[in-house]
Amino acid sequence: MARILVTGGAGYIGSHTVVELQTKGYDVVIVDNLSNSNIDVLNGIETITGIRPAFENIDCVDYVSMDRMFEKYNDIEAIIHFAASKAVGESVEKPLMYYRNNLVSLINLLQLMPIHKVKNIVFSSSCTVYGQPDILPVTENAPIKPALSPYGNTKQVGEEIIRDTIYANRSLQSIILRYFNPIGAHSSAEIGELPNGIPNNLLPFVTQTALGLRKQLMVFGNDYNTPDGSCIRDYIHVVDLAKAHVIAVQRMLNKQTKSDVETFNLGTGRGLSVLEIIKTFEEVNNVEVPYKIVARREGDIEKVWADPSYANNELGWTAVETLEETLRSAWAWELNYAQRVNAEQS
Ligand code: UD1
């Protein structure tokens, strides 16, 4: 079966997508520089699927190494491009690092694709491109608002780079996937979200606080214009999200796309507040998450959730996991990981 290049395949969404691809019979090669991931994830993927994916420790910014990689794996038929830096706050501190990592890597891929006869690329974009939408739920046709961070800008510009490149080279095609907030872990608890250092995102902070690794969770603001005052997001199970990538790849390989560049929202259509997430997490896992309300976090959007109906109808894909199951899976992964670390240390 076709080989798929998964950049950032050792990362959180990437590793779950590799599992789904291999389960469907695709061959995979992961390219990852392990800047925010761990090589051990390959063991998890192998335990779940019985297959250890090919792995290359390469930075996608390195054109020459990427060129060699494409020569080595000359059967790649599609790329899923996850590899990128994604911490909003860090991007404000280190804009050039973000522009280099996120844009040069994409440019390298788009330049190498025609040389190596690869036609298809799935791009990891984000609901961040909508900023604070005027109308909720947000559809793919909502206006793109000025980015609030260099990270957000790399996603907007990345989408434009893809559109311009494909306009000039009609032999290429792309599916742009705008993710809402992925959370949770594979049901085996073998892989999950494993940020290096202090987590920026909500769920790893919740699980690490429940475990006692962090004293308390800080809830960024309770004075927003929302029912309980905390921010609202569309939290989607990472496995649901991963499955959409397999469908996107199949759609391109089977020539079912309706245009050279297609864009889809990947969310559940359900908005949940930070406080609702904490409360449900505590209930379904029977564990306490100490938290305190602190000041708003700079750059946070008040509320955003998806209208996923275009993806539902066109891709035949729907997010099916319940919030309860998703939050259980996040906790199971954290516990399993903690056990593994303890076992290694003793
Ligand atoms: C943001 C971007 C998203 C991007 C992601 C990458 C928006 C709308 N979303 O997600 O596109 O891909 O960063 O990391 O810009 N929170 C707390 N305490 C914490 C952590 C988070 O209260 O310790 C709250 C935040 O204020 C927010 C919610 O939890 O309301 C989710 O935050 P987070 O997981 O960081 O994701 P986003 O900021 O939504």
Side-chain angles (χ1 to χ4, degrees):
M1 207 149 152
R3 185 185 291 276
I4 314 299
L5 164 61
V6 183
T7 75
Y12 174 45
I13 310 174
S15 58
H16 287 83
T17 300
V18 171
V19 164
E20 297 306 317
L21 285 166
Q22 294 194 155
T23 306
K24 289 278 184 207
Y26 288 100
D27 292 323
V28 168
V29 53
I30 295 175
V31 164
D32 200 302
N33 68 355
L34 301 176
S35 59
N36 191 28
S37 56
N38 193 303
I39 190 75
D40 292 344
V41 77
L42 298 184
N43 299 332
I45 294 171
E46 188 175 1
T47 304
I48 298 167
T49 64
I51 303 161
R52 197 169 183 86
F55 174 81
E56 298 290 333
N57 186 338
I58 298 174
D59 190 329
C60 297
V61 166
D62 178 351
Y63 182 91
V64 174
S65 299
M66 288 301 282
D67 191 24
R68 277 199 212 110
M69 186 281 306
F70 276 107
E71 265 163 34
K72 180 170 171 188
Y73 301 91
N74 58 12
D75 55 349
I76 293 170
E77 291 188 33
I79 301 168
I80 307 180
H81 182 43
F82 291 106
S85 305
K86 61 150 206 171
V88 175
E90 186 186 46
S91 80
V92 177
E93 308 282 317
K94 301 175 184 167
L96 291 181
M97 176 182 140
Y98 272 69
Y99 288 117
R100 184 187 300 279
N101 281 351
N102 295 7
L103 297 183
V104 176
S105 59
L106 175 64
I107 292 168
N108 283 348
L109 287 172
L110 291 169
Q111 216 165 343
L112 286 162
M113 285 171 71
I115 298 172
H116 294 279
K117 313 241 173 330
V118 183
K119 294 189 180 336
N120 309 301
I121 182 164
V122 176
F123 179 62
S124 295
S125 188
S126 166
C127 68
T128 196
V129 301
Y130 301 119
Q132 175 60 64
D134 300 321
I135 300 169
L136 288 167
V138 62
T139 72
E140 291 82 355
N141 298 323
I144 302 299
K145 296 272 184 77
L148 291 173
S149 69
Y151 161 77
N153 207 22
T154 65
K155 293 299 173 188
Q156 293 190 1
V157 175
E159 289 195 6
E160 284 169 14
I161 289 173
I162 288 174
R163 285 192 204 98
D164 291 345
T165 306
I166 293 182
Y167 186 77
N169 182 347
R170 291 299 170 89
S171 70
L172 303 180
Q173 60 175 341
S174 180
I175 293 184
I176 293 171
L177 299 176
R178 292 180 180 154
Y179 311 150
F180 285 70
N181 288 57
I183 59 168
H186 191 266
S187 58
S188 63
E190 290 289 338
I191 57 173
E193 189 167 11
L194 189 57
N196 284 341
I198 301 171
N200 289 301
N201 294 109
L202 178 62
L203 250 290
F205 213 108
V206 166
T207 55
Q208 290 189 12
T209 306
L211 198 62
L213 291 176
R214 319 238 160 245
K215 205 167 120 249
Q216 57 186 359
L217 169 73
M218 283 165 298
V219 173
F220 299 132
N222 69 346
D223 54 355
Y224 284 99
N225 182 24
T226 60
D228 66 22
S230 65
C231 291
I232 295 181
R233 297 286 184 274
D234 185 333
Y235 295 92
I236 175 172
H237 196 302
V238 67
V239 173
D240 276 331
L241 193 69
K243 286 179 176 162
H245 291 75
V246 182
I247 294 171
V249 164
Q250 277 165 347
R251 182 177 173 90
M252 291 196 290
L253 294 180
N254 296 341
K255 307 203 181 336
Q256 291 165 323
T257 53
K258 298 229 163 111
S259 58
D260 296 339
V261 182
E262 292 185 318
T263 306
F264 296 100
N265 279 345
L266 297 182
T268 65
R270 168 197 62 198
L272 293 165
S273 74
V274 177
L275 295 175
E276 283 174 310
I277 290 285
I278 297 170
K279 185 162 164 282
T280 313
F281 184 91
E282 290 184 322
E283 277 168 12
V284 300
N285 294 314
N286 202 15
V287 60
E288 226 182 300
V289 181
Y291 71 88
K292 71 168 174 188
I293 311 285
V294 299
R296 291 181 177 198
R297 181 171 69 176
E298 203 188 333
D300 259 340
I301 302 293
E302 183 169 87
K303 49 191 165 198
V304 61
W305 63 95
D307 179 343
S309 50
Y310 186 54
N312 298 160
N313 299 332
E314 201 51 51
L315 299 178
W317 166 91
T318 304
V320 294
E321 301 283 351
T322 63
L323 175 68
E324 288 73 15
E325 197 42 50
T326 308
L327 294 176
R328 267 187 225 116
S329 73
W331 183 227
W333 153 250
E334 187 69 60
L335 289 176
N336 192 32
Y337 182 72
Q339 263 175 9
R340 213 185 300 165
V341 172
N342 283 341
E344 274 165 20
Q345 282 169 354
S346 60

